[in-house]
Amino acid sequence: SSQSVAIQRATNSPYSHMGIVFLQDGKPFVFEAISTVRYTPLAKWVARGKGGRYVLKRLIDSSTQLTPVAIARLRSTARSFEGKPYDLTFEWSDRRIYCSELVWKIYRRALGIEIGQQQRLVDFKLDDPAVRAKMRERYGDQIPFNEPVVSPAAMFESKLLQVVAQR
């Protein structure tokens, strides 16, 4: 989408969307912020992506961090966001939620772990034509340059995560 292109160019990354995988009845689902925050079967989520490519990452110390109690806390925290609308203007609030904000807040609130560095909107590459067009569409002349944000790229680059699968 044009938003994906703008995010990729603003963050200088091939990644523009993300979620957190939970097992439900033994099957993987991605808890994601799309039009609303919801569970999507992993296969359907992957099929939506360009060329069916994905990267699955997990906490480096997952064997000690992701205990049954910790996973229950992640699930409980996730439930507090379920059904919330997608945040097209990337505000750091809980009224509306975007994808990386969702995952960041789930881990922070449930386990006290901050995956990825928060930035401000002004920290991104905003001079790209696709980025400028999307910002004009979303903000007009009232661009919130100092709004805190966390991007999929920042989370992807986190040293707290390791690749466990990719295609």
Side-chain angles (χ1 to χ4, degrees), residues 19-40:
I20 182 171
V21 176
F22 287 109
L23 295 178
Q24 292 183 353
D25 298 322
K27 296 178 182 158
F29 284 78
V30 179
F31 191 67
E32 65 173 329
I34 189 164
S35 58
T36 59
V37 176
R38 66 178 128 198
Y39 286 95
T40 302

Side-chain angles (χ1 to χ4, degrees), residues 9 17 22 34 37-38 48-49 53-54 61 63 83 96 106 113 125 143 146 158 165:
R9 291 184 183 176
H17 189 57
F22 287 109
I34 189 164
V37 176
R38 66 178 128 198
R48 264 198 339 250
R53 293 188 311 247
Y54 65 89
D61 55 355
S63 62
R96 295 175 294 156
I106 289 171
I113 298 172
K125 185 178 180 225
I143 300 170
N146 290 313
S158 173

Side-chain angles (χ1 to χ4, degrees), residues 6-8 10-13 15-18 90 92 98-104 115-121 123-124 147-158 161:
I7 290 169
Q8 290 168 327
T11 62
N12 195 32
S13 171
Y15 305 107
S16 62
H17 189 57
M18 63 178 302
F90 306 107
W92 197 255
Y98 58 92
C99 68
S100 43
E101 175 189 24
L102 174 69
V103 177
W104 194 94
I115 299 173
Q117 186 70 34
Q118 281 187 321
Q119 296 170 278
R120 295 174 305 143
L121 195 57
D123 296 328
F124 296 106
E147 185 74 23
V149 292
V150 63
S151 69
M155 293 186 74
F156 186 86
E157 295 300 325
S158 173
L161 302 175

